[in-house]
Structures are given as structure tokens and as C-alpha cells.
Amino acid sequence: MRTWSVRFRLAAALLVPFTVSLAAPRTLPAQERFTLAHTRRVVGVGSPTLSADGRSAAFVVSRPNYAANRSESQLWRVALPHVTPELLTPGRTSVSQPQWAPAGRALAFLSPDAEGRNQLWVLPGSGGEARQVTSHPTAVEHFSWRPDGAALAFAATDEEPRKEGEARFVTTFDVGAQDIFLRRTLRPQHIWTVPATGGAATRVTSGTWTLQFSLPPGGGPSPLSWSPDGAQIAFTRTVAPQTGKNDSTQIAVVTVATGDVRALTGNRTFERFALWSPDGRTLAYLQPRDRNREGGFVTEVYTVPVAGGAPRSVTRALDRHILRADWLADGSGMLVAAADQTTMAAWIVPLDGAAQRLPLGDLVLTGGFGADIERSADGLFVFTATSPHRPAELYVMTSASATPQRLTDFNAWAATVAFGRTERVTWRSDNFEADGVLTYPPDFDASRTYPLVLNIHGGPTASSKQGFSALSQLMAADGAIVFEPNYRGSDNLGNAFQAAIAGDAGAGPGRDVMRGVTMLRSRPYVDRTRTVVTGWSYGGFMTSWMIGNYPAEWTAAMAGAPVTDWEDQYNLADGNVNWRYLTGGSPWTEAGRRKLVAQSPITYARNMRTPTLIMSHMEDFRVPPTQALALYRALQDLGVESRFLGFPGRTHNPTDPVMQLERTRLWVEFVKARSGGKVVP
């Protein structure tokens, strides 16, 4: 079962970086440098799933098809511990969420039907033709095998009510707690079951409430978790299908035969991702340490007896923001994953005892907004990860102390490219030790000086890591030292660091970033006169904050999808009122307005004088472009050199490969032109 925490974030923008120390300069042929052409060759590897016997792993491989302007994905399988992978779905171009049947004799996955709606398909484990199991009138969102393998539960959105006559032309709808660009009422999602051989689906739940959901980019949906006897399903529900009510989430259990639903705890907020223990006596779930202040506090794994009792945290001592949690097969503990310093790590956490960290070396776990890692009953691990010089591949560990072995070679081309070295850097800021990732040009020479380019991560509940970062490597290949700072609010340094952003969205994080810049400027190879600040989403917020509060420090800036006005973010974004947990209240109270104005970059627009590129989607529901427009208008009226490039579409990040590449090109070329693009002898 694959789980991710839906963190309170704007969304990190692109890939991430890698690890090293300084060395002698190298002379490199020009063709060996990393270029935009190389990014076209990046293959995605993810969503690994282990068979019950631990002898096979299935996974998804995705590639960009630039001619058709779409991402295409296929299902692959590899025998363990190491056999050449084989393609299972050669005739398909869209496959997701593979899951082995409990007995390991079949694979279920999602793929579109003739109308383009995702349906459930089942493929024999030995290969062959997949059989369509559902023909649901709305798309299947996610699913789970019943423990006996004879049926599956799935989540699907309720159909729109049928209209006849003049009513067909009535398009009014109840807006509620939604974003400014929504054009219809969102319908609830509910649970259905279907035989594994196909046939009529049976509805299990109904009502005006909905299964917990999120709009991408965001964490994956809360899973449907069957009790071991197949009689009940644990799930997460929200009071209404409105994005602004996603703080009102609660774990619950439904009896499949009757549809009776009951809550497991007395809490009604921020519970997610219930997972049934192997013995059927306990549910594990994710919840922030202080559920009333999600904006900065780490998410922990809690357990609660199914028969009733008080929940308890099993990861408090770990003090990390848990992104993934799975039960061990014997129920003795959990496999968890979380960001830790500048990597994504995994631990075995006993229900009673100290956590054991897996020795992943320089590998950084990957997978959506979490980590794709699974463990078999006999202790074998399969996961996807990036390494310092390579995009994601599939790896195996035969035990919790074994050395990881790479199973796939889809990104073999990376071995022919001279990438820049990276290292973790640290510095003091207020009462914290902050950290970040530094990427050097591939032919770095400590006797020369280089421009410094900031690539600030989004979120804010995210972090920059020493994995493969296409964006940072492109900038480094153009002759810049790239700095990715983890400011307070980042999820990699524990509860106190993460919580410190609550009510201090800009000033505290701004000090963290500026002190990191000051530390780097003390190095003789950093050109103090050439510093470019950039970022997307919350990174765009931080960029806007830095040019308004430290105006003399920057050569140029790129603010992508920037939050510049917390009042607009509160009123118009899909998260809307939930932003009160980060900023400290509503703008419609006197005290709340003062707080939000003080934390809004647009308040400091009169100080701005940095040449700035602004980019945004013009129907961005996560960060409405009203804020980018305000920043652009302010800079124009103040005579500051500025340009605003808009992208069409209701999305926060480009979703098609052509526009993904175009955004990267615009970003990198702007940085190259404004940083000088050359080293200085």
C-alpha cells in the first residue's frame, strides 16, 4: 500500500540536486555538458509494487512524447533479486497505480477506456492480455485488493445529476470553499466494490461527505485499507467536496455488507491515511503533531485500537515529517520515509523501540510527494531513487543492512554526461542550523569566481535534496554555482524548524536564506556582485520577498507562480481559508489583516528595483495569477525592468512535456543572460 502525506504546500517546482566535495578543475568537451536536449531523454521510473512472495516487482516507466505532447507510461516487471526487466503492456500509453493481488497471481492497474476515463484492469501475473474489470461512468481514482484477491474496492466520483428540458441550460452552482477558477460544483467521491473477474460494481458508501482528495500537484489520495477478514474498509473522509475544507479530514471504517460508517477517534481534523494492521486489531494513520496548526508541525504516525482507545504516536522520537508509512508484515512496526537533511530516507520503526535507518548511501528516495518503497514479508526492499549523476531508477535491498543494487538502466545516457558536483552546506540562522544544497559547474575551478544563482524550493513544507536536479544542473552547466536553501518551514530538520514558519511566512525564512547567501559570499570563488534569485510557487513567494526586503542584493530575479498577497491567496486559491494555519488568521479581522499585510511581499513593492521575470499560469488554482499581475503592475509603475510571461491552462505547473520544457528553457536562459553566464578569471 502506497501512502503520502498531503502536506500544506504550494508544491515544489521541479526535480532536485546531489553530493560531493571540491576537486581539481576538469577540461570538458562542450558536448559532454548537460543541456536541454538531455532533459528530453529523462525516463521516469516509479510506483513499484512487490508480489506477496517477494519474487517479482512491477513498476511504471514514463517517457515524454514531444510529437504528441503527452507523457506516456507503461507497466514493467522484474524478477528478484535481479533479472532483466520485461514490458507487460506494450500496447498501452497510459498506466498507473499497479498493485499485485494478495496471492501474487495477478496485477491490477488503472488505464483509460475508450472514452478516456481511467478504469480498473487486471493482468495475469505471468503476462498476457489485461482484462477490463470496471466500466464506471466516472473515472476510477484509486483502488485496493480485498485480502482474498476475489474483489477490489475502488474510489470514484459521483455522477452529475441528470437534467432535462430547460434545466439543461442552467449553469449556476454553489461555490463554497473553492478556488476562483472552478466552473462547476465538485461531486463527492465514494467507495465501490467489484469482483476481480469483472461484473457489476456495488456501492458501499454515499452521502454529501467525500473521500479525502486533493488537486494536483499534491499528495496522493488516502488509500482504501481492507481489514484482514475482508469485512471492513478503513478510509479518510472530508465533510464536503470543497478544497477549502481539506482540514476537516477524519479516519473512519465502513462495514462493507451494510455500509455502516463509524469514526475511530474523537478528532475531526487532519487525520489521514488509515492502514489496517496485519492482525486486524489496530489502525495506523498520519496526523500533524498539533492538529490545530498544520502549517508548520511535522506529521507523525499514530496508532489507535480498532475496538476503541487513545491514539499514540509511534514516530515522535524520530522527529521527522513522515511522508510514507506501511505496516511490517508481522505487525511489529512500520516502514516509514521522510526528508532528512538533504536526502529522502527510510526507517524501520518498531512499535516499541528505536528506529533503524536503511543504509541507502547517496541514493535519494523518489515518488510523487513522498517515497516509493515497499518491503516483502521476508525483508526484501524495492524502491525508486535518484543518485548524484542519474535520474530515477529501480533498486533492491535484500535486507535492512544490505547494499542497494540497481535493477534498471533506463537512464543509461546519464553516464555520458559531465554533471556538476554537489554538497550539503549548513549555516546558523537565529536559533537554527539551516542547510541547503550547492551545485558547482562541471569544470569548477576554485581559482575563478562564479555567479551565484538561488533556486528556492516550493511548499513551504518541502526541502531541497541531493538527488538529481535537471534545473540546477542546467544552470551549473551554464557556469553558475546554484544554491538551494532549506529555510524554516522546510520538512527536513524536525518539528521546531518546520513549525517556526507559522505566523512568520516571510521574515524568518528570508533571514535564513540571506544568511546562507552571506555565508557563501565569504567563499573566494563566489562573485559577490552577481547573485540571481529564483523560485516557483512558495519559491516564487520567497523570491518576491527577497527583492522587496533585500533590494540591493540581487542582479536579477525570476518569480514563478508567486504568492505576493496573502489576502488574495486566502480568498481565491484552492486552499483558501486553510492558509490561516500558516499565516496566523483571517484577513477579515483587524489582527488578521495586520499579520497578512506584514507577511505579503507586495507590501514591500516600493522597495523593489531588481530586474524581474514573472511567470504564471493564467488559471492557476493553487496560486491565482492576480498576485503575479499585481507584482508586474507594481514593478512597471515603479519603473523597474520587468516582464510577465503567462501560460494557459487550469494548472499550477505545466502538465504537458512541451510546456514543461519551455518553462525550463525560459527560466534557464533568463538566469544565464542575467548572471553573466561566464566564469571570471
Side-chain angles (χ1 to χ4, degrees):
M1 183 68 65
R2 206 166 281 101
T3 66
W4 297 271
S5 160
V6 177
R7 295 170 282 174
F8 199 80
R9 60 162 70 231
L10 288 182
L14 292 166
L15 301 173
V16 274
F18 76 69
T19 155
V20 83
S21 58
L22 301 182
R26 293 178 293 162
T27 301
L28 303 170
Q31 66 269 22
E32 286 190 342
R33 287 182 179 270
F34 187 55
T35 66
L36 274 173
H38 289 109
T39 66
R40 291 174 172 266
R41 302 175 66 183
V42 173
V43 176
V45 181
S47 302
T49 177
L50 270 170
S51 60
D53 60 8
R55 296 179 181 177
S56 294
F59 57 99
V60 174
V61 175
S62 58
R63 294 179 173 88
N65 180 335
Y66 288 96
N69 195 22
R70 67 189 183 200
S71 179
E72 297 180 344
S73 53
Q74 295 176 308
L75 185 61
W76 287 68
R77 178 183 60 187
V78 60
L80 300 175
H82 196 309
V83 176
T84 302
E86 61 175 323
L87 176 63
L88 294 179
T89 56
R92 296 181 184 274
T93 58
S94 179
V95 173
S96 62
Q97 300 183 37
Q99 288 185 34
W100 282 100
R105 292 190 294 269
L107 267 168
F109 59 90
L110 297 184
S111 190
D113 60 14
E115 284 73 42
R117 294 185 294 259
N118 264 352
Q119 302 290 349
L120 259 171
W121 302 74
V122 172
L123 180 72
S126 58
E129 290 297 321
R131 179 180 66 256
Q132 185 173 340
V133 172
T134 60
S135 297
H136 206 71
T138 63
V140 174
E141 302 291 337
H142 54 97
F143 67 94
S144 178
W145 283 96
R146 198 167 70 189
D148 63 3
L152 302 101
F154 66 91
T157 302
D158 286 355
E159 290 184 83
E160 294 283 346
R162 293 185 179 276
K163 295 181 179 181
E164 297 181 356
E166 294 180 5
R168 293 176 297 161
F169 307 109
V170 176
T171 56
T172 53
F173 65 98
D174 186 4
V175 175
Q178 307 282 20
D179 67 271
I180 188 175
F181 296 112
L182 193 68
R183 296 294 180 262
R184 59 183 177 83
T185 299
L186 294 180
R187 305 291 299 167
Q189 290 182 15
H190 281 285
I191 302 172
W192 298 70
T193 61
V194 65
T197 54
T202 301
R203 188 178 189 114
V204 177
T205 64
S206 61
T208 57
W209 58 270
T210 183
L211 296 176
Q212 183 267 335
F213 70 101
S214 65
L215 301 179
S222 291
L224 306 176
S225 180
W226 287 87
S227 61
D229 62 5
Q232 301 178 86
I233 298 173
F235 62 95
T236 304
R237 65 180 175 184
T238 303
V239 295
Q242 299 178 19
T243 52
K245 296 186 181 297
N246 275 339
D247 58 341
S248 302
T249 54
Q250 178 186 50
I251 61 170
V253 169
V254 60
T255 300
V256 176
T258 64
D260 293 335
V261 174
R262 64 185 179 97
L264 264 293
T265 75
N267 298 328
R268 294 182 177 273
T269 55
F270 298 134
E271 293 181 341
R272 299 181 177 91
F273 307 105
L275 298 170
W276 222 293
S277 65
D279 64 8
R281 298 177 180 177
T282 307
L283 281 179
Y285 63 98
L286 300 181
Q287 186 182 45
R289 181 175 298 185
D290 180 343
R291 66 179 183 274
N292 294 315
R293 299 185 66 186
E294 188 198 12
F297 286 61
V298 298
T299 291
E300 298 179 329
V301 179
Y302 287 79
T303 58
V304 62
V306 175
R312 73 179 186 96
S313 171
V314 297
T315 58
R316 179 64 53 88
L318 192 58
D319 193 30
R320 286 296 182 265
H321 184 70
I322 305 302
L323 303 178
R324 178 189 176 84
D326 283 341
W327 283 99
L328 302 181
D330 62 4
S332 63
M334 310 288 296
L335 169 64
V336 306
D340 183 39
Q341 297 185 359
T342 53
T343 191
M344 181 68 72
W347 296 261
I348 298 295
V349 181
L351 295 182
D352 294 293
Q356 175 190 358
R357 181 168 170 156
L358 300 187
L360 301 180
D362 64 357
L363 297 177
V364 178
L365 295 176
T366 60
F369 285 93
D372 282 344
I373 181 169
E374 291 203 351
R375 181 182 186 270
S376 67
D378 59 358
L380 178 145
F381 298 84
V382 169
F383 57 91
T384 55
T386 65
S387 60
H389 302 86
R390 197 181 192 104
E393 300 282 5
L394 186 70
Y395 293 83
V396 64
M397 293 174 61
T398 55
S399 72
S401 59
T403 300
Q405 301 295 317
R406 182 164 51 81
L407 295 174
T408 61
D409 202 25
F410 290 102
N411 288 294
W413 60 267
T416 67
V417 178
F419 292 108
R421 305 164 299 157
T422 72
E423 66 178 354
R424 177 178 181 250
V425 292
T426 63
W427 64 94
R428 295 296 302 179
S429 183
D430 296 344
N431 296 322
F432 302 111
E433 181 179 79
D435 73 359
V437 178
L438 207 62
T439 302
Y440 294 88
D443 55 354
F444 174 76
D445 181 348
S447 68
R448 297 172 175 265
T449 59
Y450 300 81
L452 184 66
V453 177
L454 276 65
N455 178 13
I456 307 179
H457 72 73
T461 311
S463 52
S464 292
K465 304 171 184 67
Q466 289 179 268
F468 182 79
S469 170
L471 184 61
S472 292
Q473 289 291 344
L474 286 168
M475 293 174 179
D478 280 336
I481 293 175
V482 183
F483 177 39
E484 298 175 82
N486 290 321
Y487 47 88
R488 69 190 66 185
S490 299
D491 64 0
N492 63 322
L493 294 173
N495 184 64
F497 190 71
Q498 189 169 327
I501 199 173
D504 185 15
R511 290 195 301 275
D512 299 338
V513 172
M514 200 62 236
R515 287 167 183 168
V517 170
T518 300
M519 176 270 296
L520 291 174
R521 284 176 173 168
S522 69
R523 300 186 177 189
Y525 46 79
V526 174
D527 187 340
R528 299 169 182 82
T529 67
R530 293 186 292 165
T531 308
V532 179
V533 58
T534 76
W536 193 272
S537 196
Y538 208 90
F541 165 85
M542 288 301 303
T543 298
S544 304
W545 181 272
M546 301 308 288
I547 64 175
N549 286 271
Y550 302 93
E553 304 292 342
W554 317 109
T555 306
M558 195 296 292
V563 174
T564 64
D565 186 333
W566 283 115
E567 183 176 317
D568 268 10
Q569 190 66 15
Y570 182 93
N571 293 331
L572 307 178
D574 66 325
N576 50 78
V577 297
N578 284 315
W579 285 102
R580 69 189 183 277
Y581 297 105
L582 177 71
T583 57
S586 164
W588 304 111
T589 66
E590 183 176 351
R593 178 173 290 275
R594 286 197 301 269
K595 290 179 182 179
L596 268 67
V597 168
Q599 296 174 79
S600 295
I602 203 68
T603 300
Y604 310 97
R606 291 183 182 85
N607 302 332
M608 297 177 183
R609 53 179 184 267
T610 304
T612 301
L613 171 65
I614 303 164
M615 294 195 288
S616 175
H617 282 83
M618 300 312 290
E619 293 182 78
D620 187 341
F621 55 82
R622 186 63 42 83
V623 184
T626 53
Q627 303 178 76
L629 285 162
L631 177 61
Y632 175 66
R633 183 53 53 211
L635 294 177
Q636 287 284 297
D637 287 359
L638 293 168
V640 178
E641 182 185 351
S642 50
R643 185 184 185 192
F644 182 12
L645 296 178
F647 306 141
R650 177 177 160 78
T651 182
H652 182 56
N653 291 301
T655 55
D656 59 276
V658 171
M659 285 308 299
Q660 288 171 358
L661 188 67
E662 177 66 2
R663 181 185 67 169
T664 300
R665 182 190 70 80
L666 291 166
W667 195 335
V668 171
E669 289 185 356
F670 174 80
V671 165
K672 181 179 180 180
R674 294 296 179 159
S675 66
K678 297 179 180 179
V679 298
V680 178

